[in-house]
Amino acid sequence: MTAAHSGQSLWFPYAQMRDLPEPLEVARARGAVLELTDGRRLIDAISSWWCVIHGYNHPVLNAAVTAQLEQVAHVMLGGLVHAPARAAAELLVRITPEGLNHVFFADSGSVGVEIALKMALQFWRNAGRPEKSRFLALRKAYHGDTIGAMSVCDPDDGMHALFRSVLPPQIFIDPPRARPGEIATATLDQDLARVESVLREHGHEIAAFILEPLAQMAGGFVFYSEAFLTGARDLCDRFDVLFIFDEVATGFGRTGTLFAANRADVTPDIMVLGKALTGGYSGHAATVATSRVFEQFFGDDTARAFMHGPTFMANPIACALMLASARLFETENYLAKIARIETILQEELLGFEHPAIQGTRVLGATGVIEMKSAASLRGARTFAAERGVWLRPFDRYLYTMPAYIIEESELRQVTAAMKEFCRRI
Ligand SMILES: *Cc1c(COP(=O)(O)O)cnc(C)c1O
């Protein structure tokens, strides 16, 4: 079937519209389960691009939306303020690593990344060093789909390579090879030597080093050592380069700690949050900066001010959701739920072998089967849907990143569908 059935008025993401398989139509959803208009029920194995961490239709989040709606649904942040904005900023300062003290809101992860990049550029302009205007990034990185964010994504990735000639040319190094938990090995030394060598050569023109800490997700699920972050933090300080953590995907528990930064006990200069920030109820992002960054913009001169302001920044409903979501995370002990998911994923996926499989890996509430070839995954979506599971593999990766409230039986149904599909190849 083709998209002709849905008409062409709705343009879908990352899809050739001519070949688009008929999208599944969702009528309602609850917990980890999507209910389709034809009555079928699918367990959502990827929590709607990793953001619906509490599951769908959560009574506490629903109540937070309703209560805020009855006060004010939206009001601009230019010259006006409201209690949820103040409280959400205080919340993020409290839960992010020590030293991140100033919160700038935006409406999506990509824009949060743009803000981080622009903040780093203006930081050095305000400091009288405008030549520091490039970024260091990792190959296999994914930071979003807008122009600035694309410029720090993997430069060879098919998704963005088309635009290479119009993107600002950044500097790339290979992702770390040292794996989570690996410290003081020759591999880690080599990983850090690559950073040192590029900073020695280019540090004078680099504004910031941006990465997804601990786990590169949409660029290909590279999980790497927390000790790399500690070492890179020292190198950034030595070479006067800001360090930016894009925690849009890793934030709010996905790697097993509240933030990936916690695992390394590192404070970046700027941290970007998105996706799960509102429990997946509304698009919002936060770019959180240290006082050192903030103070570079502070003073008598209006030209030093940060000239940015998304229309919907600090939307009251989004802020009310952040507060309710974070409260649930703490009171329902989500870190324990995530540890339990990790154990089940390890049991089910690690050691699973098949000639078509390159490898399997698990980190926190993320489980991945990497195939040798992307072609092997053709038909995986339909296969899983027939078994009551919603999966959306990309490239060579068949993966799950479920809601943290997923039941054990539901999660085992997800991994069973993943493995059954592989066995059929
Ligand atoms: C999804 C993602 C983004 C982009 O967020 P959007 O809300 O889709 O714009 C940026 N960085 C990372 C690490 C992501 O996973």
Side-chain angles (χ1 to χ4, degrees):
M1 287 201 284
T2 71
H5 297 280
S6 338
Q8 302 284 336
S9 50
L10 185 54
W11 199 338
F12 284 82
Y14 308 118
Q16 171 48 261
M17 289 296 289
R18 208 192 76 166
D19 308 331
L20 186 73
E22 185 64 18
L24 306 177
E25 188 160 330
V26 176
R28 61 189 70 77
R30 184 175 295 276
V33 177
L34 305 169
E35 201 179 310
L36 305 186
T37 47
D38 62 12
R40 278 188 290 162
R41 293 158 59 84
L42 302 184
I43 300 164
D44 182 355
I46 53 171
S47 53
S48 276
W49 276 332
W50 333 333
C51 64
V52 185
I53 57 173
H54 308 284
Y56 297 96
N57 221 330
H58 195 290
V60 172
L61 298 182
N62 291 2
V65 173
T66 311
Q68 186 54 45
L69 201 51
E70 283 165 2
Q71 301 303 314
V72 57
H74 182 65
V75 64
M76 67 196 282
L77 200 66
L80 300 174
V81 73
H82 46 90
R86 289 194 199 279
E90 277 163 24
L91 164 80
L92 294 180
V93 167
R94 177 171 66 78
I95 65 177
T96 53
E98 180 75 38
L100 290 164
N101 294 330
H102 308 276
V103 182
F104 200 96
F105 286 113
D107 34 30
S108 74
S110 298
V111 175
V113 167
E114 294 289 336
I115 288 167
L117 299 177
K118 185 168 161 184
M119 206 177 257
L121 290 175
Q122 192 176 342
F123 174 91
W124 291 113
R125 278 167 165 69
N126 286 356
R129 298 182 65 185
E131 70 284 1
K132 287 172 81 69
S133 60
R134 297 180 74 188
F135 293 95
L136 175 62
L138 299 178
R139 291 202 178 82
K140 303 208 84 169
Y142 177 80
H143 295 292
D145 289 349
T146 53
I147 298 284
M150 274 201 289
S151 81
V152 287
C153 290
D154 188 295
D156 304 316
D157 182 272
M159 185 149 72
H160 295 149
L162 178 65
F163 302 100
R164 189 173 314 163
S165 65
V166 293
L167 296 176
Q170 314 296 10
I171 299 165
F172 292 91
I173 53 173
D174 285 340
R177 293 199 181 87
R179 296 296 157 233
E182 192 174 334
I183 47 168
T185 63
T187 311
L188 178 65
D189 290 346
Q190 287 156 15
D191 291 338
L192 289 167
R194 275 199 299 281
V195 179
E196 179 166 356
S197 129
V198 77
L199 289 181
R200 193 177 294 287
E201 188 182 346
H202 293 284
H204 63 282
E205 54 170 338
I206 294 178
F209 181 14
I210 182 169
L211 48 69
E212 297 152 273
L214 210 58
Q216 297 182 295
M217 297 291 194
F221 297 106
V222 178
F223 301 159
Y224 62 86
S225 169
E226 47 276 56
F228 176 81
L229 300 171
T230 319
R233 171 74 273 183
D234 292 343
L235 289 167
C236 285
D237 288 341
R238 245 174 72 200
F239 291 94
D240 238 0
V241 161
L242 297 178
F243 202 14
I244 302 174
F245 281 7
D246 176 354
E247 292 231 22
V248 171
T250 54
F252 299 98
R254 191 51 73 180
T255 69
T257 44
L258 183 56
F259 300 106
N262 299 135
R263 185 88 79 110
D265 201 12
V266 160
T267 300
D269 299 287
I270 302 172
M271 180 189 259
V272 188
L273 302 172
K275 288 199 166 92
L277 178 62
T278 63
Y281 266 53
S282 81
H284 225 74
T287 304
V288 193
T290 59
S291 298
R292 174 184 172 224
V293 170
F294 179 80
E295 275 156 22
Q296 196 57 261
F297 292 78
F298 202 78
D300 302 329
D301 185 357
T302 48
R304 293 184 84 86
F306 190 46
M307 284 300 165
H308 206 95
T311 304
F312 290 104
M313 71 185 291
N315 168 266
I317 293 175
C319 290
L321 283 162
M322 289 175 215
L323 295 162
S325 174
R327 213 174 298 127
L328 272 179
F329 202 102
E330 281 176 351
T331 57
E332 303 287 312
N333 196 4
Y334 271 44
L335 291 180
K337 292 187 200 303
I338 293 161
R340 187 197 57 127
I341 290 172
E342 182 172 45
T343 303
I344 297 169
L345 291 175
Q346 285 169 341
E347 279 171 25
E348 294 286 347
L349 298 181
L350 298 186
F352 176 63
E353 285 176 12
H354 183 280
I357 292 178
Q358 178 71 37
T360 57
R361 47 198 181 273
V362 171
L363 182 67
T366 305
V368 185
I369 300 179
E370 178 177 354
M371 314 305 293
K372 288 179 180 148
S373 145
S376 306
L377 288 177
R378 227 173 278 138
R381 222 194 278 192
T382 309
F383 180 91
E386 283 161 3
R387 279 149 191 82
V389 174
W390 170 240
L391 285 169
R392 194 180 191 277
F394 63 89
D395 193 17
R396 286 177 289 119
Y397 309 98
L398 185 62
Y399 74 97
T400 177
M401 290 167 82
Y404 304 148
I405 52 76
I406 193 167
E407 306 274 348
E408 175 165 350
S409 60
E410 292 172 328
L411 186 54
R412 293 200 196 268
Q413 194 177 329
V414 167
T415 51
M418 291 167 72
K419 291 191 290 188
E420 231 179 286
F421 177 78
C422 294
R423 285 198 197 97
R424 266 195 1 155
I425 298 170

